[in-house]
Amino acid sequence: MKVLALDSSGLVASVALLEDGVMGGTLLAEYTVNYKKTHSQTLLPMLDEIVKMTELSLDTVDAIAVTSGPGSFTGLRIGSATAKGFGFSLDKPIIPVPTLEGLAYNLYGTDQAVCPLMDARRNQTYTGIYEFVRMDGRDEYDMNVIKGQCAVPVEEILYACNQLNRNVIFLGDGVPVFREEICRSLSVPFSFAPAHMNRQRAAAVAALAAKYYEQGKMVPAAEYAPEYLRLSQAERERKERSEGQKL
């Protein structure tokens, strides 16, 4: 089995190719960039480079994985269009991976609660809380959702973390934005993920997608659509203008 994974949900653009299943599989390639480029400039060239470097025949790919949201509206649309384009042309299914689940999967196997934070502007964050639970009789972990992904004020998710009474590890581009608030508000022990684990990585998306593939969590390219969780800025402003005119 081969899974080609894309992540353009946030500031990072990332592409990865995973072979041979969930546990004991091989990450054949990963290309990640987090530096002053738009996803429209980076995603397809990165994908093309991986295809060249791994001598990949695209028709041997079993599925296309993509972060399905929430995240940057433009980034999600670029990732969605790219995944759907390959899905249509190759007649391959799409594996939607919720953005926060893919981000949390960077910390697979930790005994701490995992709280990814993405900056959603207006003092809000795209977030959730996850944990890894060892599967009965197997040397593997399942990711359990403690609080499903949502768009909330940062105070709300920090309050939820305090109710856990356990260590929490934070990651994501929201950490530098909300770091002072975290340090001020958390009453439970907490830490921050190191640099090589604290942003979106297509490798984690691919690994989680491989599990979803085995579970049959796929959709045809024609049926795939990203999950935004809230209105875009333009839609919010249009709504506010419309409501103002009614007053």
Side-chain angles (χ1 to χ4, degrees):
M1 178 185 67
K2 287 181 182 176
V3 174
L4 182 64
L6 315 172
D7 192 332
S8 58
S9 60
L11 299 175
V12 175
S14 188
V15 180
L17 180 64
L18 182 72
E19 184 178 58
D20 292 339
V22 183
M23 304 305 296
T26 301
L27 179 64
L28 296 179
E30 182 182 25
Y31 195 158
T32 299
V33 173
N34 182 23
Y35 187 76
K36 299 179 182 179
K37 300 288 184 182
T38 65
H39 297 322
S40 59
Q41 292 175 294
T42 56
L43 203 62
L44 283 174
M46 290 162 60
L47 200 156
D48 184 57
E49 190 66 22
I50 279 182
V51 169
K52 290 178 182 177
M53 292 296 289
T54 62
E55 301 177 349
L56 174 67
S57 175
L58 284 169
D59 59 5
T60 65
V61 170
D62 293 284
I64 313 296
V66 62
T67 42
S68 58
S72 157
F73 286 80
T74 300
L76 290 175
R77 286 167 181 152
I78 290 171
S80 173
T82 304
K84 286 169 74 75
F86 277 96
F88 275 123
S89 63
L90 300 171
D91 192 26
K92 303 295 182 180
I94 305 293
I95 307 175
V97 176
T99 302
L100 279 306
E101 293 186 13
L103 188 50
Y105 212 69
N106 282 343
L107 301 176
Y108 174 88
T110 180
D111 60 356
Q112 300 181 58
V114 179
C115 183
L117 298 171
M118 294 177 66
D119 183 15
R121 311 297 182 187
R122 297 188 173 191
N123 203 43
Q124 285 204 326
T125 178
Y126 295 125
T127 187
I129 305 175
Y130 306 88
E131 65 179 350
F132 292 93
V133 180
R134 186 180 290 273
M135 299 170 64
D136 290 341
R138 300 174 66 180
D139 192 24
E140 298 179 28
Y141 293 86
D142 268 339
M143 187 167 68
N144 180 45
V145 178
I146 298 174
K147 182 177 179 63
Q149 58 181 26
C150 52
V152 297
V154 67
E155 295 84 2
E156 183 173 324
I157 194 65
L158 296 182
Y159 175 83
C161 288
N162 277 332
Q163 306 311 302
L164 297 176
N165 294 318
R166 61 186 292 190
N167 290 38
V168 181
I169 184 166
F170 293 94
L171 71 164
D173 62 48
V175 167
V177 178
F178 302 117
R179 190 181 187 111
E180 289 186 7
E181 182 72 18
I182 294 169
C183 294
R184 183 168 58 247
S185 302
L186 261 287
S187 57
V188 295
F190 65 92
S191 60
F192 301 107
H196 65 293
M197 296 179 176
N198 69 8
R199 294 293 189 274
Q200 283 92 337
R201 289 188 59 185
V205 173
L208 186 53
K211 295 193 72 168
Y212 289 165
Y213 183 89
E214 291 186 346
Q215 297 166 5
K217 296 180 179 180
M218 298 169 284
V219 296
E223 297 179 13
Y224 172 71
E227 180 183 3
Y228 297 110
L229 282 192
R230 70 176 194 180
L231 299 175
S232 68
Q233 181 176 342
E235 290 169 326
R236 291 197 303 271
E237 291 174 353
R238 186 165 56 247
K239 182 179 179 182
E240 290 168 359
R241 287 196 301 269
S242 176
E243 291 174 348
Q245 292 169 358
K246 293 177 181 179
L247 296 176

